[in-house]
Amino acid sequence: MSNAGVQLSEIRAELDRVAQEVGVDTQKITVSFERSDFNLRTEVAEVSDSLLVDAIAIAKRHIENWRIHTFEKSFLSIQALNENLFSTEALLDKIKVRISGLYGEKALEITKKGALLPQELSLIAALLKRALGRPRAADALAELAEMGCHVYRPGEKLADIAAFKRLREKLRETLILPLKNPEVYDKIARGTRSEFSLNRPRAVLFTGPPGTGKTTMARHVGKEAGLVVVHVPLENILSAYYGESTKRLAGIFDVAMTYREPLILFLDEIDALAPSRNEKLFEASRRLLSVLLRKIDGLETQSNIITVGATNRPQDLDSALLSRFDSILEFNEPAVEDICELLRFYAKQLTAEATLALARQMEGLSVRAIRDVCLRAERQLAREQIENKAGVPETPGADYYSRTLADYRLGRPDDRLGRQGEN
Ligand SMILES: Nc1ncnc2c1ncn2[C@@H]1O[C@H](COP(=O)(O)OP(=O)(O)OP(=O)(O)O)[C@@H](O)[C@H]1O
Ligand SMILES: [Mg+2]
């Protein structure tokens, strides 16, 4: 070892310090000096594009000149050069950094022939801190938003919705309890199996006729439970150009898996991945489907993520996909008591008796249809008020709703103002 080199004990002390700072077991970082060759290796939790880019930036901050040997998805290999770029003296003895996420192995390796210089040790400390530190939660969510997902954070303002008691109870059982208390589930599994395996749900499917509130409920479920919901835009992903769509979907799962808090990945209209008769689409959706199947399987070890799919055509779903869902939550046209809830929400001015009577007339309609009827009644009233008709009330009475309900059932369009407020 040359005199300028850092002693192994100093290296170990620095590594211990970093390990403690990022909260990992220091044993996970192995270092050796064999025949004066320095070797460091540690496993890392996740190899992402951002880690690789950050690693280059960190390297550059400590040592000016580097040569990139390989920079691909999940793989980075760089080597320091001499201060004078053109000098080739001892070139192969410079420090090398390799981050690999290929073949299931995810590791950071640093090697050098000869002793470490002080600036090389501080480079190593910075790299370890970045590679081993937990990604800040906010970063994963920002990245998901950048990838085209809509991220619903619990604190975010979302329009209120009517409370359907039974449905909410079911959502609590299937989604919220396991996401908030994974350790309870795991403890039971440990007590019951000869070999530990998960009993928590990984994926839940929302099914039910159009307009029954699947999309709305998935968006809202996080708000009350304090969970993040990430809406994955399958339609957009599918329409991305060839090859790009599978990469995007896989990337979204990869980033979501770096998030450490409970999270719901919401794949709305998952029937977009159903086998299609259109040949070009068929190929694209088949490839996307196989990525999705693999990624859902990959969530096996992840206690903080549940995938929620929604569809009104479950019969069209690929059977391999269907079988991935641990539970199916059926959404139906609301029962009278739920319609009353909805009406208290969309037509609060009605008396209790009028609400109940109207709810009975509305039985069998979807939530969307009920909302439509209520909005139509309001538009009808607005037109009358504008036209200054005599005896027009301030808010629609029960008769308005009965009339618009009859029109709706007859399939009469409310086309004077168009279908506003639809989503
Ligand atoms: N609990 C609720 N309270 C108030 N309005 C609701 C509620 N649930 C749904 N809605 C309204 O009903 C409409 C339809 O709901 P949503 O889009 O969630 O249905 P969906 O089951 O996803 O339908 P599709 O299968 O067509 O996608 C929405 O515009 C929403 O505003
Ligand atoms: Mg929907």
Side-chain angles (χ1 to χ4, degrees):
M1 250 189 268
S2 82
N3 290 336
V6 189
Q7 300 297 314
L8 186 55
S9 58
E10 287 175 66
I11 297 174
R12 200 64 254 189
E14 180 68 1
L15 297 185
D16 289 351
R17 201 187 55 72
V18 172
Q20 199 188 5
E21 193 180 324
V22 295
V24 302
D25 185 354
T26 183
Q27 303 288 325
K28 291 206 163 157
I29 309 169
T30 55
V31 271
S32 66
F33 261 122
E34 264 171 39
R35 278 185 256 111
S36 90
D37 285 357
F38 173 80
N39 268 296
L40 177 147
R41 186 176 191 285
T42 183
E43 283 190 13
V44 297
E46 207 46 63
V47 173
S48 61
D49 286 355
S50 73
L51 172 62
L52 302 188
V53 172
D54 289 355
I56 295 176
I58 291 167
K60 182 114 179 104
R61 233 178 282 141
H62 292 84
I63 299 171
E64 187 65 20
N65 300 324
W66 291 85
R67 169 158 68 191
I68 298 178
H69 288 286
T70 321
F71 183 19
E72 290 170 5
K73 193 160 183 66
S74 310
F75 190 76
L76 173 71
S77 156
I78 56 178
Q79 179 187 22
L81 297 176
N82 287 314
E83 262 164 57
N84 175 352
L85 269 177
F86 299 101
S87 123
T88 53
E89 175 218 349
L91 199 56
L92 293 177
D93 297 345
K94 300 289 171 195
I95 190 164
K96 283 185 206 144
V97 175
R98 221 173 79 114
I99 299 175
S100 169
L102 302 174
Y103 320 117
E105 160 220 50
K106 293 173 188 148
L108 164 67
E109 287 165 294
I110 299 170
T111 52
K112 192 190 175 198
K113 280 196 192 317
L116 282 189
L117 302 174
Q119 75 262 34
E120 289 170 336
L121 182 58
S122 57
L123 159 72
I124 290 171
L127 280 173
L128 282 173
K129 233 187 274 174
R130 172 63 184 85
L132 298 179
R134 285 165 153 226
R136 273 180 302 132
D139 293 346
L141 296 185
E143 208 172 323
L144 286 167
E146 246 168 57
M147 295 168 103
C149 297
H150 195 110
V151 178
Y152 296 90
R153 292 180 176 84
E156 201 169 310
K157 243 184 114 52
L158 261 178
D160 277 340
I161 54 167
F164 298 146
K165 257 176 71 192
R166 277 218 336 272
L167 185 59
R168 282 179 191 229
E169 192 45 44
K170 280 204 262 179
L171 287 168
R172 205 173 88 85
E173 280 170 20
T174 48
L175 284 176
I176 298 171
L177 291 185
L179 273 174
K180 297 214 115 177
N181 315 278
E183 68 288 347
V184 176
Y185 291 72
D186 290 354
K187 193 169 161 232
I188 294 174
R190 261 184 228 106
T192 56
R193 322 280 172 77
S194 49
E195 194 175 316
F196 175 76
S197 63
L198 278 198
N199 58 7
R200 284 181 263 114
R202 283 171 309 165
V204 175
L205 185 65
F206 289 4
T207 64
T212 46
K214 301 180 291 297
T215 303
T216 309
M217 281 305 184
R219 283 187 196 147
H220 277 80
V221 69
K223 183 170 113 174
E224 287 153 45
L227 309 170
V228 173
V229 177
V230 175
H231 186 150
V232 180
L234 273 187
E235 285 286 346
N236 295 354
I237 292 178
L238 197 57
S239 65
Y241 64 86
Y242 194 73
E244 201 51 33
S245 52
T246 48
K247 253 196 237 161
R248 257 183 78 191
L249 184 66
I252 288 171
F253 271 83
D254 291 345
V255 174
M257 285 170 85
T258 66
Y259 190 63
R260 300 288 171 222
E261 307 287 321
L263 180 144
I264 292 172
L265 262 185
F266 178 44
L267 305 167
D268 204 3
E269 325 237 325
I270 201 167
D271 41 80
L273 298 183
S276 156
R277 258 154 243 177
N278 174 325
E279 227 171 274
K280 237 177 99 191
L281 254 184
F282 178 81
E283 180 55 22
S285 59
R286 203 183 49 78
R287 285 159 43 101
L288 206 52
L289 180 65
S290 79
V291 169
L292 180 60
L293 296 180
R294 260 191 291 124
K295 289 297 175 184
I296 292 180
D297 290 344
L299 295 182
E300 188 86 48
T301 54
Q302 197 93 3
S303 65
N304 63 320
I305 300 182
I306 292 184
T307 310
V308 170
T311 179
N312 50 39
R313 304 190 291 136
Q315 69 283 1
D316 290 353
L317 292 190
D318 180 272
S319 57
L321 178 59
L322 254 187
S323 71
R324 293 303 193 282
F325 291 101
D326 303 287
S327 41
I328 294 184
L329 217 147
E330 276 182 52
F331 285 63
N332 293 307
E333 285 82 6
V336 170
E337 133 198 21
D338 289 334
I339 301 178
C340 287
E341 259 319 315
L342 262 181
L343 289 176
R344 278 194 281 278
F345 188 78
Y346 285 116
K348 63 172 186 189
Q349 78 285 12
L350 297 180
T351 62
E353 299 80 62
T355 300
L356 183 60
L358 186 59
R360 292 206 169 113
Q361 292 173 46
M362 285 177 155
E363 216 182 335
L365 292 188
S366 71
V367 180
R368 181 179 290 140
I370 292 165
R371 175 175 172 273
D372 261 12
V373 168
C374 293
L375 299 191
R376 282 176 181 214
E378 292 173 21
R379 295 199 281 260
Q380 177 62 36
L381 178 69
R383 289 195 286 267
E384 292 180 8
Q385 287 182 352
I386 292 161
E387 285 159 10
N388 253 329
K389 283 200 180 162
V392 177
E394 276 194 12
T395 53
D399 51 331
Y400 280 79
Y401 296 95
S402 299
R403 273 202 306 275
T404 48
L405 176 62
D407 282 351
Y408 184 90
R409 288 211 191 272
L410 289 173
R412 271 193 212 132
D414 175 37
D415 53 8
R416 278 177 65 182
L417 291 177
R419 288 163 66 84
Q420 290 187 344
E422 264 288 48
N423 61 9

